[in-house]
Amino acid sequence: MNKSNPNSEVSKAEPALSADEVLDSSIQFLKGVGPKRAFTLKKCGVDTVWDAINYFPYRHEDRRKIIHIRDVENGEFATVYGLVDTIASRKMRNRKTLVQVSIKDASGIIYGVWFNQRWMKDKFKKGQKVLFSGKVQTSPSTQISNPAVEILPEDFFPEDYEGTLIPIYRLTEEINALAMRKVIQAALERGLPYVEEYLPEKVLKQFSIMPLREAYKIIHSYDYPAEELTEQNIAIARRRIVIDEFFVIAMGLLMKRRRTEQLPYLIHHKKPGKLVKDFIKNLSFILTNAQKKVLKEIFDDLVNNKPMNRLLQGDVGSGKTIVALTAMLATVDGGYQAAIMAPTEVLARQHFKTISNQLRGTGVKINVLTGSTKAKEKREILESLAEGEPQIIIGTHALIQSNVQIPELGLAVIDEQHKFGVMQRNQLRGETNQIDVLVMTATPIPRSLALTVYGDLTISTIDELPKGRIPIKTYVIRPEKLSRVWEFIRKQVNQGKQAYIVYPLIDESDKMPLKPAVAMYEELKDKIFPELKVGLVHGRVKADKKETVMDLFREGKIDILVSTTVIEVGIDVPNATVMVIEEAHRFGLAQLHQLRGRIGRGGETSYCVLVNNEKEDPPVWKYKKNKEPVQQDLIETTSNSRLAIMAETNDGFRIAEEDLKIRGPGEFFGIEQTGVPALKLANLIGDEEELRLSRHIADTLYQYRDTLKPETREKIRNRLFRAFGKTIRGVDAG
Ligand code: ADP
Ligand code: MG
């Protein structure tokens, strides 16, 4: 990562390329890769040499020695070698395909068995030399289910086999294990000399941290003495990579934070006065105790002389908006401007409507600015904002465009925080002054994750729903039962209620055989509910059209709203009591919970129907409560258990926790969502110790940055650039 001095291990003959040039180069130019394979690998997120080096195995398999087929034991892990003898596939009674391939050595015969992977059959040819590895079963025949397969070259002899712990990578259909390993080994050969240790020698020693390059070698079983590739060393290497991942995030956030902290904070909010008190008094409901508690926390933050950096978390429907609005009123009352930024246009417009209603008679000026605001109106809004007129401005990303100036901004509220990146969040914060920031999320975050992703936001929690909410009833059904669901919707509509029907896609896709919203809308409207009013919204419907449809639905002039996940966040129509989610197995838990949160907002029982359109029978593996974080290789098989959790609980905190366990932290929050690099190896549930250590190291190095060697600072900075990309450039590494 060092630009100026290419590493000493790099051969002198090569033209001097910078580390960035090498690590950011496409894997396509590696030995034996080429455009086709590069294209395939892109699907695994592997595009550059750096990506390949950081494509970590999810486990290692013990292939330290090959044993004779006759010596395998039931239930034990084994690696066997033989020549392919028979290749067969057949349909079983449950219509699944079974592929059986036998291999033979001098001592016996063993079968490799695959279910529903018809393509496996075409991988083999009779007489081929093959290794099978996996857990052995000795009945009904001696076999390994889903063995790891290595097809060997003609000139392979088992006597030459140098077994080792083999890294096992996640694959796609088009690339086999051996090919994947070769790509990664080639990437290491090319790129590893440019990967530099950035932690000072002393730190490595003090905390017994393995040097970075060595860790990569061990994890990938690359260029390392086989006898030293032990489980223990792999664990030490893994620890190093975990520390690397946490350190980068900790240091990045530290630098961002310190930079804002150096800015002056000049805002003096007024103590909540008559405006706020009257507003609360005139609400059509009474605030819950939880709402009162967090409001007090927020007011305390506002009036003290430090900027507020608070995360407000509360389950869907817990009433966060009213809390934010009250805080904004206090701000405006004190002569400042307040902004609330929502992730979608639909949500921003809805906020505008409800807030306008709630503020009627208060005299507070309120405006909305989104991507589709007409030019003339936009100019007027921008002018009044730039003049510093106290008001509440509601908007989308449009609020953080460079031409928007809000000079007297005193409070920025960011709704549905998880939809924005860290960096976007920071943009509302202003470049010259610090302001108060309140971020809101309906996806509660476990503490370890909050520490990683949010640095040191203070957390307020609304842990109580408004009184009188009736728990939503959730059912998981197969598509064959849909006609009964349609009947049920009809009954609800006849009782004056409304329904949502959600689809994952807008249009037909040749990749995924899913029901598309547009086509289903036609069918629902013409064939299934010809007598009812059916509306459609999705991401490509024009903004004003979308708004019209949402208005009609809100006013009860549309009975059934067909949509994609554009309605996922924040939409509030209390009269809607049914939510049908088709292809529900395609959605993540957090998303299902958000969608379900659109109903159950009135005083009557609401019903959520999750349609499981999965073709295959659910896999045997079952999700269990309170179990260890699941193995990564089981992730694909858990879709059904997700639906089961949904049926079991309405509690967003529980759902978020389960979600984190199932998906793993890497996917739970990726860089697109948070601006923080996804964790690849680190696990927030098991690696708290490493998280603490990494934060400690980052804090210390930052604090004593003046005593560090300039090269060390340069190396740390380069490592951060690599992780955060351009978003963090311009940050001073100290
Ligand atoms: P969130 O943003 O937390 O999902 P909202 O702020 O959209 O929730 O509130 C959901 C609904 O509950 C809104 O219709 C709101 O007016 C209503 N609401 C908020 N607080 C209360 C309360 N204390 N009692 C009754 N209804 C409330
Ligand atoms: Mg909300």
Side-chain angles (χ1 to χ4, degrees), residues 278-294:
D278 283 351
F279 173 72
I280 293 177
K281 207 167 65 199
N282 292 334
L283 282 174
S284 59
F285 47 76
I286 302 169
L287 293 179
T288 62
N289 287 332
Q291 284 170 316
K292 287 183 196 150
K293 177 194 71 185
V294 302

Side-chain angles (χ1 to χ4, degrees), residues 317 319-321 347 350-351 415-416 440 442 569-571 598 601:
K320 296 182 291 294
T321 317
L347 187 53
Q350 175 186 281
H351 276 330
D415 194 14
E416 308 297 348
M440 306 201 288
V569 285
I571 301 303
R598 298 312 108 219
R601 298 180 151 246

